[in-house]
Amino acid sequence: MLVSNTSERLQYLMNIRKLKQIDILNKCLPLCDKYNVKMGRNHISQYVSGKVKPNQDKLSILAMALDVNEAWLMGYDVPMSNYDDNKKNITNSFAEKVGQRIQYLRQKRGLSIEELAKKTGITTQQLIDMENGVNHNFDTKLMLKFCEVLNVDKSYFVDISEPVDDIGENIKALREAQNLTMTEVANELHIDVDEYRQLEEGKVIPYDLLDKLSNIFNINVSMLIGIDFRTRDNENKLNTAMRVLQRSKRWHEVVGETVFSDEEMEELMEFAKYLISKRKDCK
């Protein structure tokens, strides 16, 4: 979807990168020579002012020179980065990770940039900045607002600056702890087993699959990428997570999707207290 235009995008790049029009031209000239495209100061001035839109050849030159996505430079609602997802990895900056997660959930929830910006109380340009890794004001208050609007736990944006070294090994440890085969997990993810095997072997995992994996293993994304379950220090956390998972599955098998009233919940808690008191009596 078109949310901006080339003039605004050029002005934005000039602002955040401290560029002048002559700087943009100087970046373009070597490419102009290489691809036999004519471009001068007047062209850049007209593009920045919005009086003229660059044709396809000149747009391509500008995108390459400024190292941005061509569609983004045209004003479309796409990432600014010129790199594809396969070139991204978990060493990206915290701001980039936050931006990627915001963009992923926004698109998953079917929200436009304008709609999410309005719901979170920031400007459209601020949200564009954040999604592109320019993130200087993501304070606790704003983070909680995003969590509320996007309907996720605050852990979605926490503990992502220092993820585990190998998420694939972490997934393998969790899978084996639950006695699941690669095929079973692959089926849950709706991918083939060879593709799943690549995830365990270190392939970068898209956020939508991280969401699904966290549901399969009954832990949040923050734990999945932030706790190394292979280490002895975290063995208790893994065992606890597994016990909770097994008991919750057992509860679901016996009780199902039953919703208890407040009065019934009080009775359940009173009975739980009674069971705890029996433990003390046995000691």
Side-chain angles (χ1 to χ4, degrees):
M1 183 177 70
L2 201 64
V3 297
S4 185
N5 55 52
T6 301
S7 170
E8 292 176 351
R9 292 285 162 90
L10 286 172
Q11 292 176 38
Y12 169 71
L13 289 171
M14 291 171 67
N15 181 46
I16 66 169
R17 296 182 182 178
K18 309 300 180 186
L19 296 173
K20 297 179 181 179
Q21 291 184 18
I22 188 63
D23 297 324
I24 296 178
L25 179 61
N26 288 336
K27 288 176 177 290
C28 291
L29 288 178
L31 293 167
C32 289
D33 291 338
K34 180 178 179 179
Y35 295 104
N36 194 28
V37 175
K38 293 183 179 180
M39 191 181 299
R41 286 192 176 190
N42 188 49
H43 290 99
I44 302 298
S45 176
Q46 290 181 322
Y47 301 154
V48 172
S49 67
K51 292 180 181 178
V52 176
K53 294 181 180 180
N55 62 26
Q56 185 59 55
D57 288 342
K58 291 182 172 63
L59 183 72
S60 296
I61 293 293
L62 284 165
M64 285 188 287
L66 296 168
D67 194 24
V68 295
N69 187 314
E70 193 171 306
W72 179 87
L73 189 58
M74 293 171 68
Y76 284 97
D77 178 14
V78 296
M80 180 174 72
S81 172
N82 199 36
Y83 300 101
D84 61 41
D85 288 340
N86 290 330
K87 294 181 181 178
K88 294 176 183 176
N89 55 56
I90 59 175
T91 62
N92 289 344
S93 71
F94 178 80
E96 289 173 324
K97 287 189 179 70
V98 168
Q100 290 167 8
R101 291 190 173 199
I102 290 173
Q103 183 181 66
Y104 162 68
L105 273 183
R106 176 178 63 76
Q107 293 173 344
K108 187 175 181 180
R109 303 290 189 255
L111 295 170
S112 67
I113 283 185
E114 291 87 350
E115 289 171 330
L116 182 56
K118 184 177 181 180
K119 288 177 180 291
T120 52
I122 61 176
T123 67
T124 300
Q125 188 59 60
Q126 283 175 317
L127 182 54
I128 291 172
D129 287 349
M130 294 178 72
E131 289 195 358
N132 287 299
V134 183
N135 177 10
H136 302 293
N137 299 300
F138 195 64
D139 57 19
T140 302
K141 184 177 180 181
L142 183 57
M143 180 190 76
L144 293 175
K145 187 63 178 177
F146 269 101
C147 292
E148 176 188 342
V149 172
L150 295 171
N151 192 28
V152 290
D153 186 82
K154 63 182 180 181
S155 62
Y156 188 77
F157 294 112
V158 177
D159 296 334
I160 61 176
S161 58
E162 297 181 8
V164 295
D165 292 333
D166 193 331
I167 299 177
E169 288 291 332
N170 227 26
I171 291 170
K172 181 179 179 181
L174 287 165
R175 176 179 62 78
E176 291 178 344
Q178 296 187 36
N179 296 316
L180 295 172
T181 66
M182 286 190 179
T183 301
E184 288 172 327
V185 178
N187 289 340
E188 289 289 329
L189 295 174
H190 302 294
I191 61 176
D192 61 55
V193 69
D194 288 334
E195 187 176 352
Y196 175 75
R197 183 179 290 106
Q198 291 177 23
L199 300 183
E200 288 198 358
E201 291 174 351
K203 181 181 177 181
V204 176
I205 304 174
Y207 287 125
D208 60 336
L209 290 188
L210 283 177
D211 275 346
K212 292 178 182 178
L213 284 164
S214 67
N215 288 332
I216 292 170
F217 299 134
N218 200 39
I219 59 177
N220 60 45
V221 174
S222 176
M223 289 180 66
L224 183 62
I225 68 176
I227 297 176
D228 188 345
F229 288 110
R230 297 170 300 161
T231 65
R232 184 174 296 277
D233 290 343
N234 289 318
E235 188 174 350
N236 288 337
K237 293 180 181 178
L238 176 58
N239 291 334
T240 299
M242 294 304 100
R243 285 198 300 273
V244 170
L245 176 62
Q246 291 165 359
R247 289 171 182 174
S248 63
K249 283 184 175 179
R250 176 61 178 157
W251 177 273
H252 182 75
E253 289 171 359
V254 175
V255 180
E257 299 289 344
T258 303
V259 177
F260 293 98
S261 67
D262 291 342
E263 292 78 10
E264 290 170 332
M265 285 301 298
E266 287 294 332
E267 288 185 34
L268 285 171
M269 287 187 284
E270 286 299 322
F271 185 64
K273 290 179 184 178
Y274 165 70
L275 292 176
I276 293 171
S277 69
K278 285 180 63 177
R279 291 183 198 167
K280 295 176 182 178
D281 293 340
C282 292
K283 291 181 179 179

